[in-house]
Amino acid sequence: MATTLVMQLMLLLLLPVTRVSAQEQQQVVRPGCRDKCGNITIPYPFGIGDGCFRNDGRGGFELECNDSRSTPRLTVAGNGIRITSLSIIASEARALLRATRRCYDSKGRITGRSGDTSVPLIGSHYLFSQARNRLVALGCSNLGYFVDIAGYYVSGCMAVCGPQQFIELGSCTGVACCQSTIPPAIDYYEPYVLDFTKEQTNKGIVSYSNSTTCRYVFLAE
Ligand SMILES: *[C@@H]1O[C@H](CO)[C@@H](O)[C@H](O)[C@H]1NC(C)=O
Ligand SMILES: *[C@@H]1O[C@H](CO)[C@@H](O)[C@H](O)[C@H]1NC(C)=O
Ligand SMILES: *[C@@H]1O[C@H](CO)[C@@H](O)[C@H](O)[C@H]1NC(C)=O
């Protein structure tokens, strides 16, 4: 479990104030503009290059395509969020974000960490989809959560180490893995992984035996 996970994540696009015209709904591409990055179709108002996207001063519609990779990579200009699909009809974009990871030694010291970056969507055309995303904390013992721009707790859950009979593959119900729904209209994501020390775990429900070396928190579809 030392690898860095990359998770599928849905970003909800196009707030009600950003109505898409009938013409735009037909997923037309402007003449002279790229319509694809690899196998990902790029419908207007999204676009690559000057004059190819709707430029209304808010970020999000301008995309970049890096063709020099083995699989061409589509990203949002400005924040570098990696996009894997776009749908005007569904008002959805699917993105890949790196999972937040912490690894510990037997004494509880952090031996590895990655994916600590926050994802600010404030003022852009994107929001995290409440319908599509769950916050997941994987590994134990692990309180995984995220906060908003002001630092307030938004959503999270605790994955506790325990007997294997409560670990059903693919279910994620609390032992070694937990998930929580997120509120609507979330435009900022800053993840945290909280470990529990031996002292804390001896007192309560949290078992230290069978704890995993690495713990993760991520938003997933
Ligand atoms: C696009 O390409 C990726 C990577 O090569 C592949 O996994 C995916 O299935 C393809 N999607 C479509 C719609 O062809
Ligand atoms: C495109 O990807 C290559 C390979 O990872 C990288 O070296 C290069 O800097 C990228 N180009 C841009 C413009 O990001
Ligand atoms: C630890 O894992 C072993 C083997 O899966 C299991 O038998 C044991 O009950 C677990 N211990 C605890 C405290 O959950």
Side-chain angles (χ1 to χ4, degrees), residues 64-70 73 75:
E64 287 166 352
C65 185
N66 188 338
D67 294 292
S68 56
R69 311 182 73 101
S70 51
R73 181 170 290 193
T75 53

Side-chain angles (χ1 to χ4, degrees), residues 116-138:
D116 285 312
T117 44
S118 58
V119 183
L121 302 175
I122 297 157
S124 78
H125 287 284
Y126 301 87
L127 291 170
F128 292 103
S129 168
Q130 179 189 34
R132 298 284 206 164
N133 292 308
R134 296 287 177 273
L135 184 87
V136 175
L138 184 65

Side-chain angles (χ1 to χ4, degrees), residues 2 11 15 22 36 43 65 107-108 113 123 162 176 181 194 201:
L11 301 170
L15 301 168
K36 280 190 180 276
C65 185
K107 292 204 170 69
R113 61 191 299 162
T181 52
L194 219 64
T201 58

Side-chain angles (χ1 to χ4, degrees), residues 47-64:
I48 296 169
D50 284 346
C52 290
F53 58 92
R54 192 205 287 170
N55 194 350
D56 57 5
R58 290 166 63 192
F61 291 143
E62 182 181 7
L63 305 179
E64 287 166 352

Side-chain angles (χ1 to χ4, degrees), residues 162-164 207 209-210:
Q164 288 198 325
S207 163
S209 64
N210 295 350

Side-chain angles (χ1 to χ4, degrees), residues 67-88:
D67 294 292
S68 56
R69 311 182 73 101
S70 51
T71 309
R73 181 170 290 193
L74 184 65
T75 53
V76 180
N79 63 23
I81 291 175
R82 194 171 153 196
I83 300 291
T84 59
S85 70
L86 289 165
S87 167
I88 299 296

